[in-house]
Amino acid sequence: MWSVSYIFMYTAFYAALISKCFCQKKVTATFTDPSTGITFERFFGVKTSFSFGIALPETANNSFIGQLTFPLNDGAGWGGWSLTDDMEGPLLMAAWADGGKVVSSFRQAFNEDDNPPEVTGNFRARPIAAGTSANSSLFTYTFLCEGCLDDALGLGAAATSGTVKMGWALSSEKVGNPASPAAILNFHNRGFGGFQARLAQAKNRKFDEWAAMAGPPLAPATNASPITSKKKKNKGNKGNKGEGPGNASDDDSDDDD
């Protein structure tokens, strides 16, 4: 029969193991996109199949390359990312399909209930065609995000030396007026929440080569408003710098509380 101390030792061991697994949830892992050859730090949600990848230059500036991939419901649905794990305030991007065409826009949310309005500023998206496609069941959008890293937008270049918290959202509902970048976004019913982005590992000497694949910048909608500065910037999560990669297991009931 096992002694009390023996049982305690194994209980502590498994508790530590479980704790480690939970700590590694929702952390980006290195991923190379076969269509473009770009190496990202990618968050992947096992339950939703939503993913967001980010690539940075070796010497951080105000730009990054992003990639959104998520399932569509007979062509319907939208996905998005946020520069912090709080969806209210920072720069967001939402993207969806209009038939076989990819449409996206920058947004800023002020509450969880209303459609976030489109915003404009000193930032722009330039699609990378080799990594962009949409059909009835799958959406992929790869883009150069110029001027998108700024403390006033929620995440500045200085924070890319470590791991930071970013956000994601996914809906399977149709958007209103999908041909317009100012389309109406329905609630993110498939899930939303935060993840740990290992930005230090996202830096790559090939960034300029990959960025050269980007096309012309997209124009914002006519009625887009100037973005409101986010006062509370993303300072990163220095305590997680050494955290290992993991396949993030998201939860459809996740929220951003």
Side-chain angles (χ1 to χ4, degrees):
M1 182 177 293
W2 289 1
S3 67
V4 173
S5 60
Y6 194 79
I7 294 173
F8 178 81
M9 179 182 69
Y10 270 85
T11 301
F13 171 79
Y14 284 111
L17 183 62
I18 292 171
S19 176
K20 182 178 180 181
C21 290
F22 274 103
C23 288
Q24 290 185 348
K25 284 180 64 178
K26 302 184 182 179
V27 181
T28 60
T30 302
F31 167 79
T32 299
D33 173 41
S35 298
T36 61
I38 299 173
T39 298
F40 295 97
E41 271 298 309
R42 185 183 70 155
F43 161 71
F44 177 73
V46 175
K47 292 183 180 179
T48 60
S49 294
F50 171 96
S51 72
F52 174 71
I54 184 168
L56 295 163
E58 278 191 305
T59 301
N61 52 35
N62 62 4
S63 300
F64 67 84
I65 296 173
Q67 185 179 71
L68 272 170
T69 301
F70 52 86
L72 294 174
N73 179 22
D74 195 21
W78 65 270
W81 54 265
S82 166
L83 286 180
T84 77
D85 61 341
D86 184 353
M87 292 293 184
E88 297 178 21
L91 180 67
L92 319 173
M93 175 187 277
W96 57 92
D98 177 29
K101 181 182 177 182
V102 168
V103 186
S104 70
S105 60
F106 291 108
R107 307 281 179 125
Q108 186 175 30
F110 300 99
N111 59 64
E112 295 183 3
D113 301 320
D114 298 327
N115 172 60
E118 193 187 14
V119 292
T120 186
N122 295 322
F123 45 82
R124 56 186 186 172
R126 295 173 54 193
I128 296 176
T132 299
S133 62
N135 56 38
S136 63
S137 60
L138 185 64
F139 179 99
T140 300
Y141 180 35
T142 308
F143 56 93
L144 174 63
C145 205
E146 291 183 323
C148 296
L149 295 180
D150 189 311
D151 288 338
L153 304 177
L155 175 61
T160 63
S161 60
T163 297
V164 304
K165 295 178 180 179
M166 297 184 71
W168 66 278
L170 179 63
S171 174
S172 62
E173 301 294 327
K174 292 182 179 180
V175 303
N177 191 18
S180 170
I184 303 299
L185 306 179
N186 289 305
F187 186 71
H188 33 62
N189 64 316
R190 289 296 311 282
F192 62 105
F195 61 92
Q196 301 281 352
R198 303 189 311 159
L199 298 188
Q201 287 84 347
K203 296 180 179 182
N204 198 295
R205 61 182 177 81
K206 292 185 177 181
F207 180 87
D208 290 342
E209 175 186 332
W210 298 333
M213 294 189 286
L218 301 177
T222 304
N223 296 324
S225 301
I227 192 167
T228 301
S229 176
K230 178 177 172 59
K231 295 180 180 179
K232 184 179 179 181
K233 67 180 181 179
N234 192 334
K235 296 181 180 179
N237 192 349
K238 296 180 180 179
N240 287 328
K241 280 188 177 181
E243 199 165 39
N247 278 335
S249 177
D250 57 306
D251 188 329
D252 290 355
S253 63
D254 272 352
D255 58 33
D256 51 6
D257 290 338

